[in-house]
């Protein structure tokens, strides 16, 4: 009798809360408790680890690996979780890049960057006088490219071990039953309240009557229903059927141009990862349409013969050399880089030693080289993106950067589907060759064309040591500052022999050719700043540069993991 009562209680509970039972990972008092969680900034694990922008997403990625999944399983589950708990950049309405080194020695690069819709055109953001209307490329329905994330996740899942249903369930549970938001998230949500209302056509979970505060629970029923359609119908659950219809209905309400056939025709692309040697280490990065892999290649090679370590960490000598290298590499970015399916990127030349050394040959160690003397353009990009670094027990290393572009993307929530669309169209050169409202200049290589992918700075990177063994997984958000942050993190470890935490948290600096100024974080070395000013550099102090997530494999095989101090970023593992 007692057994019957117990089983009927269990059955009733399952009917009320079936997904929670199914996942067994997420829930009050479960392994991942969305109502009680803490942030862990750095830790060393024996086997496997994840570092990303939110503690719940790191914890779920690690738990998936504990339950038999590999790094690819964790990559899928972590990204889907971020789409729920980190709505300003985690996404299913955006896109991203994945770079991996499998334990069998194969490199993988998956490109799930958004594409311009078929009805997009080169001058679509120009008014009748030819002036760029960047409000339209940055906010609202017309700012969105065709989302790539879900296609990217299914491409990633081809290397996974667990069923997709298992990997998506934690995200469904978090959306359906909610999670407690952090103070940082409450501030972010409050700051975009008016913009979300203005650019959406229906009420959404992100906007409530009172201000958000730390400890509030965010429940996203519409998003849970969308994730369930993806769970039950696979990729078609997003790109066809009800979700696709909801996206297109939303687009129609705000002159957006994404159609059902744009969605149906979207494909993630498997590309050939870039790979080069730096002082015996093998660095593996993302090819175009990312500019990041090429920039990091050029920057590292400009350093290689110049003994950075002997110049000292962030002394005037090492800093000035790095600034001048950055200036030159970013000048190449806009002139030569774009979607390789639409524009012939001179990859071989840009990464050849002869070319790279010629670029830095005119560097003067006594003064700033004015950017006016260096040809090319630059493109304004937003800095809200997010990164995930993962390693599993077998040594599969994965680096993923994913984005909606602006914080909370275009601010358009798809009515009935509960997710935010990207504003990635702004990463194209809205008006090639002409400075936009930010004083930034774009190149012909990155002009808008139907089906084309917009140039990106996302720089997911993995590094092998001198014995070809896993060594570093790194990446960061930060718009155009991404490649320099990754570059500086790598030299911090390789040349300045830092641990993962220092490599991530030491102050960063950035030069991107135009504007001709060095951006520094507030805690940057005061003495070096003074000497840079004396040499003729213009300096602008700014807030955080990047939010880098690093895994460093120690000589004994342990995984030293660091999440950036600049956010709620957190590590997990076992
Ligand atoms: N939206 C930022 C980037 O792709 O670089």
């Amino acid at each position: 009798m007692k057994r019957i009562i117990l089983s009927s209680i269990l059955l009733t509970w399952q009917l009320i809360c079936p997904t929670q039972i199914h996942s067994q990972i997420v829930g009050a008092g479960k392994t991942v408790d969305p109502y009680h969680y803490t942030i862990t900034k750095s830790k060393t694990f024996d086997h496997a680890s994840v570092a990303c922008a939110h503690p719940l997403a790191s914890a779920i990625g690690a738990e998936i690996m504990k339950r038999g999944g590999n790094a690819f399983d964790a990559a899928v589950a972590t990204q889907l979780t971020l789409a729920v708990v980190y709505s300003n950049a985690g996404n299913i309405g955006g896109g991203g890049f994945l770079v991996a080194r499998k334990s069998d020695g194969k490199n993988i690069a998956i490109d799930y960057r958004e594409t311009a819709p078929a009805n997009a055109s080169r001058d679509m953001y120009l008014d009748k006088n030819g002036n760029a209307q960047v409000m339209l490329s940055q906010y609202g329905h017309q700012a969105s490219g065709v989302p790539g994330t879900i296609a990217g996740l299914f491409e990633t899942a081809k290397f996974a071990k667990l069923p997709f249903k298992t990997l998506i369930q934690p995200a469904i549970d978090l959306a359906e039953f909610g999670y407690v938001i952090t103070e940082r998230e409450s501030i972010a949500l409050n700051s975009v309240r008016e913009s979300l209302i203005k650019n959406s056509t229906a009420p959404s979970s992100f906007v409530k009557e009172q201000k958000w505060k730390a400890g509030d629970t965010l429940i996203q029923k519409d998003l849970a229903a969308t994730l369930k359609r993806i769970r039950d119908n696979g990729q078609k659950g997003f790109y066809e059927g009800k979700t696709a219809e909801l996206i297109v209905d939303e687009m129609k309400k705000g002159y957006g141009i994404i159609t059902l056939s744009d969605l149906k025709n979207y494909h993630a692309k498997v590309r050939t990862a870039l790979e080069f040697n730096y002082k015996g280490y093998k660095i593996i990065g993302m090819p175009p349409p990312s500019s990041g892999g090429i920039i990091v290649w050029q920057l590292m090679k400009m350093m290689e013969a110049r003994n950075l370590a002997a110049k000292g960490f962030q002394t005037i000598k090492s800093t000035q050399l790095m600034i001048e290298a950055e200036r030159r590499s970013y000048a190449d970015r806009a002139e030569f880089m774009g979607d390789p399916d639409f524009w012939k990127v001179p990859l071989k030349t840009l990464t050849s030693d002869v070319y790279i050394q010629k670029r830095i040959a005119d560097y003067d160690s006594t003064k700033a080289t004015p950017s006016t003397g260096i040809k090319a353009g630059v493109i304004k990009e937003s800095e809200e993106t997010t990164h995930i670094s993962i390693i599993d027990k077998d040594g599969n290393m994965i680096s993923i950067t994913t984005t909606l572009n602006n914080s909370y993307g275009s601010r358009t929530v798809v009515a009935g589907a509960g997710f935010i669309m990207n504003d990635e169209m702004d990463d194209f050169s809205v008006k090639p060759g002409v400075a936009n409202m930010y004083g930034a200049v774009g190149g012909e290589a990155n002009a808008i064309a139907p089906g084309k992918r917009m140039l990106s700075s996302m720089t997911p990177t993995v590094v092998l040591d001198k014995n070809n063994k896993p060594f570093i997984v790194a990446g960061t958000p930060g718009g155009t500052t991404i490649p320099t942050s990754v570059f500086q993190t790598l030299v911090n470890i390789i040349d300045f022999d830092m641990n993962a935490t220092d490599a991530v948290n030491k102050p960063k600096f950035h030069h991107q050719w135009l504007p001709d100024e060095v951006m520094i974080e507030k805690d940057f070395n005061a003495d070096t700043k003074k000497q840079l000013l004396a040499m003729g550099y213009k300096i602008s102090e700014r807030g955080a540069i990047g939010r880098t997530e690093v895994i460093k494999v120690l000589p004994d095989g342990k995984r030293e993991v660091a999440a950036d101090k600049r956010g709620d970023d957190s590590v997990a593992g076992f």
Side-chain angles (χ1 to χ4, degrees), residues 113 333 381-382 385 403 405 424 427 455-458 479 482:
R113 185 73 164 158
R333 179 188 189 274
E381 281 179 54
S382 151
T385 295
T403 185
N405 200 15
E424 221 70 61
D427 270 353
L455 184 63
S456 171
S457 294
M458 294 187 290
I482 293 175

Side-chain angles (χ1 to χ4, degrees), residues 93-354:
F97 298 136
L98 174 149
V99 167
R101 174 76 168 194
K102 284 176 69 214
S103 55
D104 64 7
K106 286 204 182 80
N107 295 341
I108 292 170
I110 303 176
D111 165 3
Y112 44 106
R113 185 73 164 158
E114 300 90 329
T115 53
N119 289 327
S121 58
R122 181 190 159 99
D123 295 339
M124 64 187 277
Y125 298 111
L126 302 188
D127 66 14
K128 61 179 183 339
N129 299 318
N131 298 317
Q133 301 295 299
V134 292
M135 283 303 283
L136 296 180
S137 62
Q138 290 172 7
Y139 299 99
H141 299 69
Q142 295 176 60
S144 298
V146 183
T149 295
I150 291 300
L153 294 184
F154 278 94
E155 200 58 48
T156 305
K158 290 179 183 167
F159 303 96
K161 287 160 77 176
L162 303 178
F164 195 89
K165 285 183 188 333
T166 305
L167 306 179
I168 198 170
Q169 195 59 45
I172 293 173
D173 293 343
L174 286 163
E176 186 148 36
F177 302 108
Y179 71 100
V180 156
I181 65 169
T182 63
E183 172 150 28
R184 211 181 282 269
E185 188 172 2
S186 69
I187 293 167
L189 280 167
N190 291 333
S191 74
V192 293
R193 185 179 193 278
E194 301 313 319
S195 183
L196 284 167
I197 292 170
K198 184 173 163 203
N199 293 293
S200 300
T201 57
S204 76
S205 313
F206 306 112
V207 176
K208 64 182 181 83
E209 230 158 80
Q210 290 85 27
K211 282 195 162 181
W212 289 99
K213 55 184 187 334
D216 284 349
T217 299
L218 175 56
I219 293 174
Q220 302 169 74
K221 294 276 183 205
D222 287 344
L223 178 58
T226 299
L227 293 172
K228 283 181 194 172
R229 287 192 290 277
I230 297 166
R231 177 192 66 193
D232 298 340
N233 305 307
Q235 200 163 318
K236 288 186 178 172
F238 184 85
Y239 290 101
E240 296 178 43
K242 181 160 180 191
T243 312
E245 280 158 21
L246 288 170
I247 295 172
V248 173
D249 287 349
E250 185 60 55
M251 288 293 117
K252 283 179 187 156
K253 289 184 216 160
Y255 305 103
I257 56 172
I258 296 176
T259 62
L260 287 175
S261 77
D262 283 327
L263 290 162
K264 198 172 171 185
N265 292 331
Y266 182 86
H267 295 292
K269 293 198 170 181
V270 176
R271 306 215 181 252
T272 306
L274 302 181
E275 183 176 311
F276 67 96
N277 205 292
Y278 177 73
K279 297 185 171 175
Y281 296 90
K282 208 170 263 172
I283 298 180
I284 300 158
M286 190 70 203
S290 165
S291 59
I294 297 177
I295 294 175
V296 167
W297 187 327
Q298 290 191 337
L299 295 175
M300 301 293 285
K301 283 294 183 185
M302 287 184 203
M303 298 303 113
E304 197 169 33
R306 291 184 165 78
N307 203 351
L308 207 50
K311 296 184 198 305
F313 175 69
Q314 286 185 1
T315 59
I316 184 66
K317 283 191 169 154
S318 64
T319 304
Q320 197 231 357
L321 171 61
M322 291 164 80
I323 288 169
E324 289 303 329
E326 289 172 9
R327 183 200 304 277
R328 284 157 178 79
S329 202
Y330 276 83
D332 278 358
R333 179 188 189 274
E335 181 70 19
F336 300 118
M337 301 182 211
D339 182 347
D341 299 334
F342 285 74
W343 179 263
K344 193 159 174 19
V345 180
L347 183 62
K348 239 176 148 172
T349 306
L350 290 173
T351 56
S352 82
D353 260 348
V354 175

Side-chain angles (χ1 to χ4, degrees), residues 10 50 204 361 495 556 561:
L10 187 63
V50 181
S204 76
D495 294 85
D556 62 2
V561 195

Side-chain angles (χ1 to χ4, degrees), residues 22 66 110 119 187 196 214 229 231 234 314 328 361 393 399 421-423 453 466 494 500 517 538 557:
H22 176 88
K66 216 175 197 174
I110 303 176
N119 289 327
I187 293 167
L196 284 167
R229 287 192 290 277
R231 177 192 66 193
Q314 286 185 1
R328 284 157 178 79
K393 66 178 173 40
S399 186
M421 290 293 284
N422 68 82
D423 64 322
R453 284 157 149 86
K466 292 179 178 171
I494 296 174
E517 63 181 23
K538 193 174 162 228

